[in-house]
Amino acid sequence: MEIIPLPELQIGERARVVSLNAAGPQRRRMLDLGLVPQAVIEALRKSPAGDPVAYRIRGAVIALRREEASLVMVTRI
């Protein structure tokens, strides 16, 4: 399976989290949002300007800016 950065996921696609390329408080925040390895994430919609993007993870909807989302590595499912 191909590992890609989260922003490459198209709207409506689902993926599984593989790893986070973040450290410190930023990593802690992402883990608190549920971005843990093996978690399933779905791209829901983009804002009118294209950034941020809303994702569903563990039943919650979160918004991530491209800069943050690029730190999350996923595989499409």
Side-chain angles (χ1 to χ4, degrees):
M1 287 188 204
E2 181 184 10
I3 297 174
I4 59 171
L6 184 58
E8 289 189 21
L9 207 62
Q10 300 298 309
I11 299 302
E13 283 189 311
R14 294 170 17 126
R16 192 171 302 276
V17 175
V18 175
S19 63
L20 300 176
N21 294 329
Q26 190 174 34
R27 181 180 179 83
R28 182 76 248 163
R29 178 177 176 271
M30 289 181 163
L31 291 171
D32 290 345
L33 290 172
L35 294 166
V36 296
Q38 299 301 312
V40 174
I41 188 166
E42 177 183 6
L44 294 178
R45 59 185 165 269
K46 289 183 180 179
S47 70
D51 191 32
V53 174
Y55 298 95
R56 181 186 330 268
I57 185 162
R58 296 183 170 205
V61 177
I62 63 171
L64 293 175
R65 296 210 174 272
R66 184 172 187 83
E67 181 180 348
E68 294 174 301
S70 66
L71 301 174
V72 182
M73 304 306 291
V74 299
T75 58
R76 288 185 172 99
I77 54 176

